[in-house]
Amino acid sequence: MSSKRTILVGLAGQQNSGKSTIFNMLTGANQHIANYPGVTVDKKVGSYRDSAGRVEVVDLPGTYSLTSFSLEERVTRDFLRNEKPDAVVNVLDTSQLKRSLYLTFQLLEMGMPLVLACNMVDVAEARGMALDANVLSSALGVSVVTTVGRKGAGKADLRDVIRTTASRESGAETPRTVVAYDELEPHIAAVEKRLNEASGLALIVPPRWLALKLLEGDSEAAGILEASHSDAAGVLTLVRSLATSFEEEMDISPADHIVSCRDELASQIVAACMTQEKSKRASLSEKVDRFVLNRALAPFVLVLSVYCIYELSIVQGYELTKFTWPALAWLRETVASLLPFPGLLEDSLLRSLVLWMVDSANTLLNYVPIFFILFALIAILEDSGYMARIAFILDRIFHSFGLHGQSTLPFILGGVFAGGCAVPGVMATKGIPDERSRLATILTVPYMNCLAKVPLYTLLVNIYFAAHKSWAMLFISTITIIMALIIAKFLTSVVLRGKETAPFVMEMPTYHLPTVLGVLRRSVDRTWQYIKKVGTIVVAVSVCVFFLLQFPGVPEEHMADYRGRIDEAMTEFRADVAALGETPYLQLVQGEGLEDLVIVYDEYRAARLGGGSNVNEEFEATYPEFYPLIARSGDAAAKKINRMLRGLSNTRKTIRREIRSEQIANSFFGRLGRLLEPVTHFAGFDWKVNIALISSFAARESSVATLGAIFQEGADEGATLEQRMASESNSEGRTPLGALALIIFFALYPPCLATTIMVKVQTGSYKWMLFSIMFPTVLGLAVSSVVFTGGSVLGLSGVEAMGVFYGAALILAVALAFVPDPAWNAPKTTYVEQS
Amino acid sequence: MFWNRHRHGKGRRCSILSPAETAGCPVCGEFQPLSTVGKGCRCRIRRHRAHGAVRQRLMDMGFVPNTEIEVVRVATLGDPMEIRVGDSFVTLRKREADQIEIFAA
């Protein structure tokens, strides 16, 4: 029976069994990634058509078994139970056949319509193993297909078998192997008999499977029982007494007995269907590991590979942005030219809002080449198998602070050596199996020195620590990792105390050569996710920030003053033009015409700076009457007017800038800055710094830009921001100590908008996103207040305070490493304790 | 707590007691844990003392009683250790290895 209908296929298998390559092989390009509802586990869905109709394939999370101990296992099990797929493809690593069969047995016991895909037969053959698929098929009573996912071998066979298995009548199945549990069988039968009393239960789950799960002491099995059986408590009592008597009799718990029976059967099946020629030769992976994981050499290999990642993605990626930035700048110009013309002093709301949004998006899109390279390199590290080895080398250090060996990469991407970005860092936490460590990593990655923090550091160090520049930079680049470890320890032992932790039991995969297509697909996927998710939300939030910085705006009487100033300048200009005598341009600058002339003049200069190829031709065609004046191409009079025009344009710019800074000071954000002064003055921040800090929440780069907008005086004389801030700070009583407090606050500063959104995506909850904003704010303010107020009271200089703070943090970190992890003493869930 | 735990031959190379000997360890009466043997050691798993997720995970990875295992290497900082189980290589923290009782192969 093969009707034209869509069937649902689940793809199950262990990690590193080549499940993803089989998924790609089956579905080709027709796939997408989502999240399972409520959890952060990836859900890959794809589909293809065969002669009989459409086949929808779901790539289930990689699992070693179907217990309820980890999120992945629960997700897989719930999918199989609730969605009831028409066929389940169990992908096996042929070279690890025995261990792979444990999962196969569990799938059989769940009554799944199973297809076995024995993958990587080429690897097995290379190791001198030969599999007889027919023997395996008859031993298990299911169809077996041999495949080589990387080369696409076995695709047609697998598709055929999926279709026939899915369309088979459920009653007409071939007899299947059932694992015999010997001494446990009477107990299983007794429980099964009680379960069969509930009429509807067999429709939900196979009773034998549930009986086994109950005897194993599986925590979710009791839940299934309660939902479907009227006398759940009675059954549980029976199960508990049976399990206790079995354990007393056999000196082994039912769960262990079940595993060893499966193990024995797996050994028998492997012996029957697999022939292996004994080779004493160490595999290539082992040889490589003797060098790469050598106790003495491993750290050097690690540092070298990290350096390569850093060099290739961050450094070379920035080289690439030289090519992409002009494209983004062109995009901005194009958008700007479509918008209403700028006003003389104030632009229309539409124009400034749209340009603000484009600028926000551009800042983030500028990172795309860097991310693309980064993601490709990470995919190579993951596929090759080195990522697991990094975790192996560094686990000891991270574990002392409640983190995980696999936290290394997120920290590196976040910018351990000044110059990363927290967004890919937070994204890279996806692979950490330990939920508690993963959350702690997500929440501490933003403390690293992202590239956008560097400008403010440089500015402050240049002004206040010029004499101790290298010490200050060393302080900044190492204090962040020290603080991150301290905070991670705090989070894991206090805030995340109750979160699920996983044992560090990880398979060391054999080295594989990554496929170009696989790496490309993964990096394109992840980059696109970044563009899509971050892009949409950032644009939305940037609108909010825009309004908070824009409104309520400059009071009308001040605007009148500004207008008066520009009118005065224009009147002066007109008089100067008139003084030149009778020129053809006099008419042009009378009345409204002059406003347009000034605007067009500024547009022309901006376009020339933008470096368009035919700026002159365009402006000549569009503004034939203005062109001689703006392009300095006319007669002597036009040249004189052009020079005067430059003065007028500068006046316009000055006034616009003043309006802008008054707007910021008067905006909701500005008021907030002043409102916060009573709190922040303990840390030595005044309202100007407050605004800069608040606005840098949207993107760190804006901290320096905002400071530039606020510290205006002297800008026209060509003084650098350093000089301006230094001169103002002297008059306002700023000290290096205050700068140190600011540096520390900035190091502990909450993640930027894009990162907080990524935190939301990776944790799947707004609660953690809010926490990631609130906690660092409070902590940063507290620490910098202690440094500033404490330093002032003790009369320490900036450098002295820096040294004291550094020493204290280092001692605290080392001390914390010895504090035992609360999870170590957590009550162990045992079979008997479960009620 | 890791500083006050009794260790049988800390950081030792191969020094595995036979089943009869381990049964009566004079100091604590416990069996010998996997965490006490060094690089290159081959031994067999007697039983797990871990519960729940750790036990299940170890079983899934092939740490089934009576299986022969070999300590391949220990990480630079002395913590996770790499164990060969059959044809696969598995890394464990000392803390988990402490929960596995072994005897001479």
Side-chain angles (χ1 to χ4, degrees):
Chain A
M1 184 201 87
S2 67
S3 58
K4 268 235 183 260
R5 63 181 188 108
T6 301
I7 58 171
L8 179 65
V9 174
L11 210 59
Q14 303 185 337
Q15 282 145 32
N16 309 314
S17 64
K19 215 156 50 68
S20 295
T21 52
I22 293 286
F23 177 74
N24 291 339
M25 177 180 95
L26 279 176
T27 60
N30 191 7
Q31 47 176 266
H32 65 271
I33 300 177
N35 270 352
Y36 283 94
V39 292
T40 52
V41 177
D42 264 348
K43 180 182 194 169
K44 279 205 281 177
V45 186
S47 65
Y48 65 87
R49 301 194 70 86
D50 61 8
S51 53
R54 218 164 71 87
V55 179
E56 199 151 299
V57 187
V58 178
D59 190 10
L60 297 167
T63 53
Y64 288 96
S65 63
L66 294 178
T67 55
S68 54
F69 286 122
S70 76
L71 189 60
E72 284 78 12
E73 290 179 351
R74 286 196 291 270
V75 165
T76 304
R77 209 163 91 172
D78 289 349
F79 175 86
L80 294 174
R81 273 191 351 167
N82 303 333
E83 307 286 321
K84 299 210 183 305
D86 300 284
V88 175
V89 178
N90 180 195
V91 182
L92 310 180
D93 176 354
T94 310
S95 61
Q96 302 269 9
L97 185 61
K98 183 182 156 194
R99 218 185 56 199
S100 312
L101 284 174
Y102 299 166
L103 179 66
T104 312
F105 293 149
Q106 296 177 54
L107 288 166
L108 281 172
E109 276 164 358
M110 277 188 87
M112 288 295 145
L114 202 62
V115 174
L116 286 198
C118 288
N119 196 25
M120 307 207 261
V121 278
D122 56 337
V123 177
E125 270 161 25
R127 291 199 204 158
M129 300 167 167
L131 174 76
D132 190 331
N134 290 330
V135 175
L136 181 62
S137 172
S138 56
L140 290 168
V142 297
S143 311
V144 177
V145 181
T146 55
T147 56
V148 182
R150 287 151 48 84
K151 293 171 190 157
K155 177 172 158 181
D157 284 352
L158 187 56
R159 285 183 170 187
D160 282 351
V161 172
I162 288 173
R163 181 53 76 173
T164 45
T165 306
S167 52
R168 198 174 290 158
E169 299 281 356
S170 53
E173 279 175 36
T174 49
R176 302 164 138 211
T177 304
V178 186
V179 186
Y181 294 106
D182 307 328
E183 292 88 353
L184 193 64
E185 284 297 339
H187 302 77
I188 299 171
V191 178
E192 218 181 322
K193 189 163 161 265
R194 283 299 306 274
L195 289 177
N196 280 328
E197 288 167 12
S199 52
L201 190 134
L203 294 174
I204 310 168
V205 285
R208 183 180 164 86
W209 177 79
L210 187 56
L212 275 169
K213 283 283 144 199
L214 288 169
L215 284 165
E216 266 181 8
D218 188 291
S219 56
E220 288 198 356
I224 300 170
L225 180 71
E226 264 153 41
S228 53
H229 199 286
S230 51
D231 185 22
V235 179
L236 278 179
T237 320
L238 172 75
V239 168
R240 230 169 292 148
S241 72
L242 285 174
T244 320
S245 70
F246 180 83
E247 192 157 2
E248 274 166 14
E249 228 172 274
M250 304 290 299
D251 195 27
I252 184 169
S253 75
D256 287 6
H257 180 74
I258 289 169
V259 172
S260 59
C261 287
R262 284 179 188 154
D263 182 64
E264 204 173 305
L265 182 62
S267 299
Q268 286 170 16
I269 291 177
V270 170
C273 69
M274 190 87 117
T275 48
Q276 174 165 28
E277 42 184 88
K278 273 274 167 220
S279 68
K280 279 275 147 213
R281 206 163 49 90
S283 76
L284 186 64
S285 281
E286 284 170 69
K287 279 187 198 157
V288 174
D289 273 348
R290 270 178 213 163
F291 172 73
V292 168
L293 289 185
N294 179 290
R295 257 189 112 151
L297 289 176
F300 297 101
V301 177
L302 179 66
V303 168
L304 190 71
S305 42
V306 166
Y307 174 77
C308 287
I309 296 172
Y310 177 73
E311 178 69 26
L312 281 174
S313 59
I314 311 278
V315 177
Q316 298 305 319
Y318 257 93
E319 293 296 310
L320 268 188
T321 58
K322 282 183 188 157
F323 298 97
T324 51
W325 183 248
L328 293 172
W330 173 84
L331 182 76
R332 187 193 190 279
E333 277 310 305
T334 314
V335 172
S337 68
L338 294 175
L339 290 166
F341 233 57
L344 191 60
L345 290 183
E346 275 183 302
D347 296 346
S348 67
L349 197 58
L350 178 70
R351 182 182 173 88
S352 38
L353 175 60
V354 172
L355 283 183
W356 171 272
M357 277 161 57
V358 172
D359 285 339
S360 312
N362 272 3
T363 329
L364 292 160
L365 292 178
N366 195 34
Y367 290 122
V368 165
I370 299 173
F371 285 171
F372 187 78
I373 299 177
L374 208 53
F375 293 149
L377 292 172
I378 295 171
I380 290 172
L381 280 192
E382 284 173 341
D383 288 0
S384 66
Y386 188 61
M387 194 72 99
R389 284 156 176 94
I390 295 182
F392 177 71
I393 299 166
L394 287 177
D395 182 67
R396 179 72 186 82
I397 300 177
F398 282 109
H399 188 218
S400 303
F401 293 95
L403 296 169
H404 192 275
Q406 278 163 288
S407 309
T408 326
L409 192 86
F411 280 141
I412 292 168
L413 300 183
V416 171
F417 336 99
C421 176
V423 174
V426 172
M427 281 175 89
T429 56
K430 195 146 217 165
I432 301 174
D434 181 337
E435 181 64 11
R436 192 184 63 152
S437 304
R438 200 175 71 88
L439 277 172
T441 313
I442 291 174
L443 295 173
T444 46
V445 163
Y447 296 115
M448 299 295 111
N449 290 312
C450 79
L451 204 75
K453 280 184 183 178
V454 177
L456 183 75
Y457 289 152
T458 330
L459 183 73
L460 292 173
V461 169
N462 277 334
I463 300 174
Y464 297 101
F465 296 100
H468 309 274
K469 233 181 235 181
S470 48
W471 286 114
M473 285 322 278
L474 179 76
F475 169 81
I476 289 169
S477 54
T478 48
I479 194 73
T480 44
I481 183 85
I482 295 173
M483 293 306 285
L485 290 177
I486 293 174
I487 293 162
K489 184 74 180 186
F490 167 77
L491 290 176
T492 49
S493 24
V494 181
V495 184
L496 301 169
R497 205 185 171 110
K499 286 280 163 190
E500 198 175 329
T501 67
F504 185 77
V505 181
M506 179 185 72
E507 184 175 5
M508 203 73 104
T510 45
Y511 286 105
H512 286 290
L513 202 61
T515 58
V516 177
L517 203 67
V519 169
L520 270 183
R521 187 186 304 242
R522 206 110 58 91
S523 42
V524 169
D525 266 358
R526 286 184 186 169
T527 313
W528 179 239
Q529 260 179 311
Y530 169 80
I531 295 174
K532 211 169 51 177
K533 283 183 177 147
V534 174
T536 47
I537 307 174
V538 161
V539 169
V541 179
S542 79
V543 174
C544 300
V545 174
F546 172 81
F547 283 108
L548 288 172
L549 274 177
Q550 187 86 6
F551 287 99
V554 180
E556 192 43 46
E557 60 268 27
H558 289 200
M559 269 320 283
D561 284 350
Y562 291 123
R563 269 190 219 108
R565 275 169 62 189
I566 194 82
D567 284 345
E568 200 179 304
M570 292 208 300
T571 317
E572 216 172 283
F573 181 83
R574 286 190 188 108
D576 288 345
V577 172
L580 287 174
E582 196 54 42
T583 58
Y585 311 113
L586 190 56
Q587 201 57 39
L588 270 182
V589 300
Q590 298 302 331
E592 297 292 301
L594 180 56
E595 280 185 27
D596 292 342
L597 177 62
V598 178
I599 293 166
V600 172
Y601 173 78
D602 282 344
E603 290 284 293
Y604 172 77
R605 295 215 349 200
R608 282 295 295 268
L609 276 177
S613 53
N614 46 359
V615 176
N616 283 333
E617 290 78 0
E618 268 174 34
F619 275 80
E620 193 165 12
T622 327
Y623 311 103
E625 72 282 13
F626 290 156
Y627 187 72
L629 296 180
I630 60 176
R632 219 187 309 169
S633 62
D635 48 34
K639 288 198 172 106
K640 274 188 187 148
I641 295 175
N642 180 275
R643 216 170 301 133
M644 293 189 287
L645 206 48
R646 185 186 297 175
L648 185 60
S649 155
N650 282 340
T651 312
R652 178 193 176 214
K653 278 183 191 148
T654 309
I655 296 175
R656 277 175 76 101
R657 200 157 38 212
E658 280 173 30
I659 293 175
R660 181 76 194 134
S661 66
E662 189 179 342
Q663 209 170 36
I664 292 176
N666 195 42
S667 69
F668 292 115
F669 262 178
R671 289 170 189 203
L672 186 64
R674 283 182 200 279
L675 205 67
L676 288 174
E677 255 185 357
V679 183
T680 58
H681 89 271
F682 291 108
F685 307 157
D686 62 8
W687 71 273
K688 291 180 178 180
V689 175
N690 285 351
I691 296 180
L693 290 175
I694 295 169
S695 76
S696 70
F697 174 64
R700 293 278 161 66
E701 288 87 344
S702 44
S703 62
V704 171
T706 317
L707 283 175
I710 299 169
F711 290 92
Q712 286 291 339
E713 268 155 70
D716 293 335
E717 290 92 73
T720 62
L721 182 57
E722 272 99 334
Q723 292 162 335
R724 277 180 276 148
M725 274 185 73
S727 67
E728 280 197 39
S729 64
N730 287 337
S731 57
E732 289 174 20
R734 270 172 230 271
T735 57
L737 189 61
L740 175 69
L742 186 55
I743 288 175
I744 291 171
F745 183 79
F746 213 56
L748 299 176
Y749 192 75
C752 69
L753 198 62
T755 310
T756 53
I757 289 156
M758 218 53 234
V759 169
K760 155 76 185 71
V761 170
Q762 291 298 328
T763 58
S765 98
Y766 284 104
K767 201 186 83 189
W768 287 119
M769 177 175 143
L770 280 179
F771 181 83
S772 78
I773 301 169
M774 303 306 294
F775 178 73
T777 313
V778 174
L779 180 79
L781 209 54
V783 174
S784 42
S785 298
V786 167
V787 169
F788 182 74
T789 313
S792 310
V793 170
L794 296 173
L796 295 176
S797 75
V799 182
E800 284 163 0
M802 190 183 273
V804 170
F805 180 73
Y806 193 82
L810 198 61
I811 291 168
L812 180 62
V814 172
L816 278 177
F818 289 98
V819 174
D821 195 313
W824 293 8
N825 302 319
K828 306 231 159 66
T829 45
T830 62
Y831 176 78
V832 192
E833 281 167 21
Q834 265 169 25
S835 51
Chain B
M1 259 156 252
F2 65 89
W3 54 75
N4 57 12
R5 193 190 291 124
H6 160 67
R7 287 208 182 274
H8 307 249
K10 194 173 181 177
R12 202 63 56 76
R13 289 219 152 215
C14 263
S15 64
I16 306 171
L17 309 170
S18 74
E21 285 171 307
T22 51
C25 166
V27 184
C28 57
E30 282 180 1
F31 293 99
Q32 185 170 9
L34 176 61
S35 55
T36 55
V37 296
K39 182 180 166 180
C41 250
R42 282 163 186 264
C43 50
R44 276 181 193 280
I45 294 170
R46 174 190 286 274
R47 53 177 281 182
H48 295 283
R49 283 192 286 123
H51 298 279
V54 185
R55 171 191 226 102
Q56 183 63 47
R57 193 69 201 271
L58 290 170
M59 296 275 198
D60 289 340
M61 303 302 264
F63 286 82
V64 178
N66 240 347
T67 310
E68 190 189 292
I69 56 173
E70 179 191 343
V71 179
V72 180
R73 63 173 59 82
V74 178
T76 309
L77 294 166
D79 203 349
M81 50 204 296
E82 186 179 348
I83 314 282
R84 186 180 58 74
V85 189
D87 285 327
S88 55
F89 294 84
V90 178
T91 63
L92 295 179
R93 282 189 187 138
K94 282 267 163 73
R95 211 168 85 75
E96 275 92 41
D98 230 22
Q99 307 281 306
I100 302 175
E101 287 172 8
I102 53 154
F103 60 94

